[in-house]
Amino acid sequence: MIGSAVAKYKEIALQTSSPGEILLALYEGLFRFLTGAKHCLESGHRAKGAELISKSHAIISELLLALDYNQSPELCGRLASVYDFCLSRLTEANLKGDPEKLAEVIRVLTPLREAWKIAVPKAAAEQSQGKSIG
């Protein structure tokens, strides 16, 4: 019963979240999975590590698919290159059981996560100011 209530809450939260809030939530989940997978590989729990790598791969694949080249082709091209690099490192980490490949992904994506943490609230504030003025 509690599980279904939590699932319903998450569904409503997702439906009422802005694209920026969803992006931030994806990055938070991604980093949770990446650090968990790295810890699992370091401690010899390869099966659980592989599961978390798979979840990380799915999130990055979705981020890649969600890029809107009509809005900013140059930025999307750069992000696509970063995401492609990360996907290849995740595949290597999974095949070789190499936690250092996961550390590379974490290092590469950390500046992006930090930038989104600043940009998303700023854009939301600017948008709400624009609505209140107009």
Side-chain angles (χ1 to χ4, degrees):
M1 185 157 120
I2 291 175
S4 65
V6 170
K8 186 67 174 168
Y9 170 80
K10 287 181 179 180
E11 180 183 336
I12 291 169
L14 182 62
Q15 291 172 355
T16 60
S17 295
S18 71
E21 291 167 333
I22 294 169
L23 177 69
L24 291 176
L26 285 171
Y27 265 90
E28 290 308 311
L30 174 59
F31 273 78
R32 192 172 52 252
F33 295 143
L34 288 170
T35 56
K38 184 175 177 290
H39 175 74
C40 286
L41 293 184
E42 290 169 342
S43 59
H45 298 98
R46 197 157 172 184
K48 181 64 176 174
E51 178 185 329
L52 295 171
I53 290 170
S54 177
K55 290 178 180 187
S56 300
H57 196 284
I59 291 174
I60 294 174
S61 295
E62 285 301 317
L63 291 170
L64 181 60
L65 290 172
L67 293 175
D68 186 354
Y69 284 86
N70 293 324
Q71 293 296 318
S72 182
E74 186 178 332
L75 175 62
C76 288
R78 290 180 181 183
L79 286 171
S81 295
V82 170
Y83 293 151
D84 284 337
F85 170 83
C86 291
L87 290 171
S88 71
R89 289 301 185 267
L90 289 177
T91 300
E92 289 179 39
N94 206 17
L95 289 173
K96 299 176 182 176
D98 185 355
E100 184 52 39
K101 301 296 181 194
L102 297 174
E104 288 179 45
V105 173
I106 292 168
R107 276 193 299 274
V108 166
L109 292 179
T110 294
L112 279 176
R113 177 176 71 163
E114 297 308 311
W116 288 125
K117 282 182 177 179
I118 294 167
V120 167
K122 183 178 178 185
E126 289 173 0
Q127 185 178 16
S128 68
Q129 284 179 344
K131 285 182 181 177
S132 64
I133 294 172

